[in-house]
Amino acid sequence: MAVPDSLHVAARESCDLAIVGGGLIGLAVARELIRRHPTASVCVLEREEELGTHQSGHNSGVLHAGIYYAPGSLKARLCVDGARALYRYCAERGIAHGRCGKLIIATRASELPLLRELERRGIANGVEGLRSVDSAGIEALEPHARGIAGLHSPATGIVDFRAVTRAYAEDVLALGGSIATGCGVERVQLAARRLRLTHRRGSTEARHAIFCTGAWSDRLAVAAGADPDPRILPVRGAYLRLVPERRDLVRSLIYPVPDPSLPFLGVHLTRRVDGEVMIGPTALIAGARDAYRLRRVRGRDLLDTLAWPGTWRVLARSWRAGVAELRHAAQPSSLVRAAARYVPELRDADVLPAFAGIRAQALGRDGHLVDDFVLSATPRALHVRNAPSPAATSSLALARHIADEAERAFELPA
Ligand SMILES: Cc1cc2nc3c(=O)[nH]c(=O)nc-3n(C[C@H](O)[C@H](O)[C@H](O)COP(=O)(O)OP(=O)(O)OC[C@H]3O[C@@H](n4cnc5c(N)ncnc54)[C@H](O)[C@@H]3O)c2cc1C
């Protein structure tokens, strides 16, 4: 069944379970819970006219293997399980993907302990096939890349996450769920044995709700009575793309050793399923939660960011990285130079501007950039408060985890 990008159906007036947010996580959660509870009425409410408009449609398209994450964390477990499940799902559904492998490259001696730590974490997390390589090994895998040591992950891949979003939506509809787009939830009220969700098309009374609203997750959680901590810090990630004649500079995925103080993976070169090669993303605090254009500023979004004590604490701690990121955002040549550290042949003339995505990064009042996936509860509701990368990769496993929590917290019909 083809899913139209725009689903202007009337939102249900009542249902057992409302899922707010039609990105990969909301749709995966809806799909998982309808499969477990086929008699429950489940309704997805999405604010935009199209599904997957935000992070799910603007990302690197990498199917992560689970290397970076602290052993024992939700990210570690759900990324490894989620990657396996997603490879299977894409094969079953004929979704474009490839197990192309990835190379993490150290270019300085000071990065070697971190590279070894990544290998230790990857092995502890159960990532298959990880292998250390020397400079000759780097060139054998990526002939145009240079470095003093590398870590190769053959299990990392690429995937069309927009197609995955569409396939999850098809599953939801085929299983009897409903999806209403153009249906932004503006108010959440607790009534007798129900939640009333007021949205642009009226209101929906739901026995329970799960909020998977990405960059807006803190606002809806607070509207439902949750603690305002953590707040979402919108971090803009812009990409460049290689001109077609220079795409052969990159065979698969080339990553740096990341800055351990930040929850981002650094400027990488990634081949996509359509053959394009991206360079990026930048990491700049954005003036709006939908700042796809660099200069877009929304007063409420900016005020929320500036009024949050955590913002100033993170800026005080990471100002050097902030200055470098400002440079990357203002001058494409600075981003090219960062990538040329591991692909030295790269020149300014090799790139064109591409798209940008906005990361929904949870930030504590104390300035702590929340690393792991976070779920919290209010009466009759669960809230996904932090689902940054690798949540797209992890979506099927994260949905199972959220569904387990929902079964503990809610009374759902069989
Ligand atoms: C630049 C970038 C690169 C990334 N690269 C990767 C990668 O390579 N691999 C990977 O695994 N992950 C990657 N990620 C992370 C991944 O894209 C996200 O973790 C994932 O898409 C999160 O899905 P989501 O459904 O939580 O959020 P979203 O896709 O943002 O969906 C949230 C939805 O909620 C809706 N919504 C918001 N408010 C309301 C409301 N009031 N009422 C109704 N609906 C509402 C929004 O419109 C939106 O559709 C990247 C992210 C970014 C930004």
Side-chain angles (χ1 to χ4, degrees):
M1 178 181 27
V3 175
D5 280 342
S6 183
L7 299 157
H8 295 280
V9 298
R12 281 194 184 155
E13 284 178 12
S14 70
C15 60
D16 293 312
L17 178 64
I19 307 288
V20 185
L24 281 163
I25 304 307
L27 292 166
V29 169
R31 173 184 177 276
E32 179 66 24
L33 278 162
I34 308 176
R35 279 155 60 105
R36 294 188 191 192
H37 300 271
T39 63
S41 52
V42 176
C43 148
V44 177
L45 304 172
E46 164 55 46
R47 187 183 66 176
E48 306 293 347
E49 298 298 331
E50 292 184 3
L51 299 170
T53 296
H54 293 291
Q55 297 174 93
S56 300
H58 294 86
N59 56 49
S60 297
V62 175
L63 210 158
H64 289 290
I67 299 168
Y68 299 90
Y69 319 112
S73 63
L74 281 178
K75 274 191 178 177
R77 179 164 62 82
L78 300 177
C79 182
V80 172
D81 292 352
R84 284 194 198 115
L86 193 56
Y87 274 126
R88 256 196 321 274
Y89 183 81
C90 290
E92 279 163 21
R93 299 297 301 263
I95 294 170
H97 71 289
R99 206 184 285 251
C100 58
K102 145 176 177 170
L103 191 55
I104 304 174
I105 296 180
T107 55
R108 302 172 182 140
S110 59
E111 292 173 335
L112 294 176
L114 268 168
L115 191 69
R116 278 194 291 275
E117 171 61 10
L118 290 183
E119 184 175 13
R120 187 195 70 79
R121 285 187 173 200
I123 291 169
N125 294 345
V127 177
E128 286 163 15
L130 273 186
R131 181 170 66 94
S132 294
V133 291
D134 58 13
S135 52
I138 291 174
E139 288 172 43
L141 289 160
E142 288 284 355
H144 299 278
R146 296 291 178 270
I148 57 173
L151 184 62
H152 183 238
S153 164
T156 305
I158 50 178
V159 61
D160 179 351
F161 280 122
R162 284 177 192 258
V164 175
T165 307
R166 270 197 303 278
Y168 289 170
E170 281 172 16
D171 291 348
V172 168
L173 296 178
L175 290 161
S178 78
I179 302 175
T181 58
C183 214
V185 172
E186 282 150 10
R187 265 181 95 188
V188 184
Q189 288 165 289
L190 187 61
R193 300 179 61 77
R194 302 214 143 239
L195 280 174
R196 169 178 283 223
L197 306 173
T198 308
H199 46 70
R200 269 191 271 150
R201 290 166 188 268
S203 67
T204 298
E205 304 250 335
R207 289 177 64 199
H208 302 283
I210 304 180
F211 293 85
C212 310
T213 48
W216 292 268
S217 57
D218 51 348
R219 288 200 188 142
L220 285 151
V222 169
D227 193 323
D229 192 1
R231 183 162 290 183
I232 290 294
L233 182 70
V235 181
R236 186 174 190 275
Y239 294 82
L240 300 171
R241 63 189 169 92
L242 286 186
V243 294
E245 327 65 278
R246 297 292 274 165
R247 285 183 194 157
D248 59 1
L249 286 176
V250 178
R251 275 190 183 162
S252 56
L253 308 171
I254 305 178
Y255 277 66
V257 175
D259 176 345
S261 69
L262 296 171
F264 309 127
L265 304 184
V267 173
H268 39 265
L269 296 107
T270 48
R271 187 167 279 277
R272 297 172 69 97
V273 286
D274 60 7
E276 289 261 18
V277 176
M278 299 292 151
I279 303 178
T282 55
L284 189 70
I285 296 178
R289 296 183 181 203
D290 59 347
Y292 296 103
R293 280 187 292 108
L294 180 59
R295 297 208 172 130
R296 178 176 287 166
V297 174
R298 293 190 191 276
R300 179 176 178 196
D301 293 350
L302 189 61
L303 194 67
D304 273 358
T305 298
L306 296 180
W308 188 241
T311 306
W312 300 100
R313 292 189 173 125
V314 87
L315 284 175
R317 199 177 59 234
S318 305
W319 66 269
R320 267 180 223 284
V323 171
E325 287 301 337
L326 261 176
R327 223 179 289 125
H328 289 345
Q331 303 166 347
S333 58
S334 152
L335 197 61
V336 171
R337 271 200 306 281
R341 206 152 62 75
Y342 23 96
V343 181
E345 286 173 56
L346 260 181
R347 299 282 171 271
D348 290 356
D350 296 336
V351 302
L352 292 169
F355 66 96
I358 316 294
R359 303 174 185 87
Q361 172 60 51
L363 172 64
R365 183 184 288 280
D366 60 1
H368 159 70
L369 288 159
V370 181
D371 196 30
D372 211 356
F373 299 143
V374 175
L375 198 61
S376 74
T378 55
R380 300 197 161 268
L382 288 175
H383 303 266
V384 177
R385 298 289 298 258
N386 196 44
S389 183
T393 301
S394 315
S395 49
L396 289 169
L398 181 55
R400 283 202 291 267
H401 173 75
I402 295 169
D404 290 345
E405 292 293 318
E407 284 180 336
R408 271 192 282 276
F410 303 161
E411 291 153 28
L412 294 169

